[in-house]
């Protein structure tokens, strides 16, 4: 019997493309037995794990469209307030309250145990300097921990520990799905893994390029080390440009619907080639 996993990676606003991927999969009646999510993939993953049917696509599209119309309601405040917060805290630019409230409005106090599909969320534990997987308790808390982008959002506290974005430790958790028994894995990624990197020219570009090298190296290694009998399908992302590795692009809500639609079309073609029409 085949065990199917959806692995949803991180990537900020670029995560909108995962909606197009999910639509293409669900239209073919491909549904998950296991969902793993990191960062924005944790948010998208929570929604599909709660409702693994085509009906979830309309809901996800509306949420992304709402965010594109009013991004400050999701990610923060006016520029002056953002600067003041950075100065006063010394750690982050945005408040986590708007995003958390949006998640609570959508998911409430839903727990992992109540989901119809097995779901796990990756975050980076500060105190243990370790990869941490949430698989119990309130889903909103886990998603907030996984999406706590360093420098942009404050560390998220869950229990006695503090967490940062799961992309730091496992941006596209392919091997985790295999360890949990999946033998058919659909990888929903935001389009960065194959894009050539440019030599950094500014100090702040060094950290970004270094992070990209680390995350891509791990993912490609895990692809190469897939055990016999396991098949991974890396779905294509579209509507993203050569500049989408920048901080500005990863926080820019413009062209969200275009990215969803173009990615959907590309994934339909890809699945027809790989699985047959």
């Amino acid at each position: 019997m085949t065990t199917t996993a959806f692995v949803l990676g991180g990537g900020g606003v670029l995560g909108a493309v995962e909606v197009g991927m999910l639509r293409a999969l669900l239209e073919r009646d491909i549904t998950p037995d296991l969902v793993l999510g990191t960062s924005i993939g944790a948010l998208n993953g929570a929604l599909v794990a709660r409702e693994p049917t085509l009906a979830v696509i309309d809901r996800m599209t509306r949420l992304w469209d709402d965010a594109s119309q009013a991004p400050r309601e999701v990610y923060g405040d006016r520029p002056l307030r953002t600067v003041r917060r950075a100065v006063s805290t010394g750690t982050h630019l945005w408040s986590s309250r708007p995003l958390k409230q949006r998640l609570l409005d959508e998911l409430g106090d839903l727990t992992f145990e109540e989901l119809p599909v097995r779901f796990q969320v990756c975050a980076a534990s500060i105190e243990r300097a370790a990869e941490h997987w949430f698989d119990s308790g309130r889903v909103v808390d886990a998603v907030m921990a996984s999406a706590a982008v360093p420098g942009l959002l404050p560390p998220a506290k869950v229990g006695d520990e503090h967490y940062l974005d799961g992309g730091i430790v496992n941006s596209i958790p392919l091997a985790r799905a295999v360890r949990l028994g999946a033998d058919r894995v659909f990888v929903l990624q935001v389009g960065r893994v194959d894009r050539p990197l440019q030599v950094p020219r500014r100090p702040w570009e060094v950290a970004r390029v270094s992070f990209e090298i680390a995350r891509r190296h791990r993912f490609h290694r895990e692809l190469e080390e897939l055990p016999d009998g396991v098949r991974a399908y890396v779905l294509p992302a579209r509507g993203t440009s050569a500049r989408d590795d920048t901080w500005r692009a990863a926080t820019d809500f413009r062209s969200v619907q275009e990215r969803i639609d173009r990615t959907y079309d590309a994934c339909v073609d890809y699945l027809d080639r790989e699985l047959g029409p």
Side-chain angles (χ1 to χ4, degrees):
M1 182 176 177
T2 299
T3 299
T4 299
F6 288 1
V7 172
L8 294 93
V13 176
L14 303 183
V17 301
E18 294 174 352
V19 179
M21 296 172 180
L22 289 167
R23 178 186 169 194
L25 290 167
L26 295 172
E27 282 186 348
R28 294 182 69 100
D29 293 324
I30 299 173
T31 56
D33 303 297
L34 168 69
V35 176
L36 302 179
T38 295
S39 195
I40 195 63
L43 190 159
N44 289 333
L47 297 176
V48 76
R50 181 186 62 175
E51 188 177 10
T53 71
L54 266 175
V56 76
I57 300 303
D58 286 341
R59 181 59 185 160
M60 295 177 76
T61 301
R62 285 196 299 271
L63 287 172
W64 278 98
D65 183 61
D66 289 347
S68 69
Q69 299 300 318
R72 285 176 182 166
E73 292 182 11
V74 178
Y75 270 130
D77 311 299
R78 299 181 184 278
L80 181 58
R81 187 175 296 177
T82 296
V83 172
R84 287 173 176 169
R85 180 176 293 108
V87 172
S88 64
T89 67
T91 60
H92 59 277
L93 297 175
W94 297 334
S95 168
S96 61
R97 288 192 297 272
L99 177 59
K100 187 171 186 178
Q101 187 59 56
R102 182 62 64 91
L103 289 174
L104 286 170
D105 292 343
E106 181 64 29
L107 298 171
D109 291 326
L110 182 72
T111 66
F112 285 85
E113 292 82 358
E114 295 172 314
L115 293 169
V117 176
R118 187 181 184 191
F119 179 47
Q120 294 191 4
V121 168
C122 181
S125 167
I126 294 177
E127 284 84 358
R128 290 181 288 114
E131 178 178 321
H132 178 84
W133 283 93
F134 289 94
D135 60 5
S136 63
R138 196 168 71 158
V139 173
V140 167
D141 297 330
V143 173
M144 289 300 299
S146 185
V149 181
L152 299 185
L153 292 170
K157 185 177 182 181
V158 182
D160 295 327
E161 290 191 57
H162 296 81
Y163 298 91
L164 288 173
D165 195 296
I168 297 171
V169 289
N170 202 339
S171 184
I172 310 173
L174 173 60
R176 175 77 176 184
V178 176
R179 286 197 298 273
L180 293 174
D183 51 18
R184 184 174 69 156
V185 183
F186 292 92
V187 178
L188 290 75
Q189 51 81 37
V190 302
R192 288 175 172 171
V193 293
D194 294 320
R195 184 176 298 133
L197 289 171
Q198 302 296 321
V199 175
R201 300 179 181 277
R202 298 176 178 84
W204 55 87
E205 292 179 347
V206 174
R208 176 181 60 79
V209 170
S210 299
F211 173 72
E212 282 295 320
I213 291 171
R215 69 189 292 272
R216 296 181 193 194
H217 170 73
R218 176 170 184 168
F219 175 65
H220 287 299
R221 185 188 67 209
E222 291 182 358
L223 268 178
E224 293 171 357
E225 295 176 351
L226 286 177
D228 294 339
V230 175
R231 181 68 189 273
Y233 300 89
V234 182
L235 299 179
R238 295 291 184 268
T240 57
S241 73
R243 299 185 62 188
D244 282 338
D245 285 335
T246 66
W247 173 84
R248 181 183 298 275
T251 56
D252 186 354
F253 281 90
R254 290 174 297 182
S255 303
V256 160
Q257 189 60 55
E258 178 188 357
R259 289 172 175 174
I260 293 174
D261 293 341
R262 291 183 61 186
T263 295
Y264 165 76
D265 291 338
C267 288
V268 168
D269 292 341
Y270 171 82
L271 292 171
D272 284 346
R273 291 195 307 270
E274 294 295 322
L275 304 178

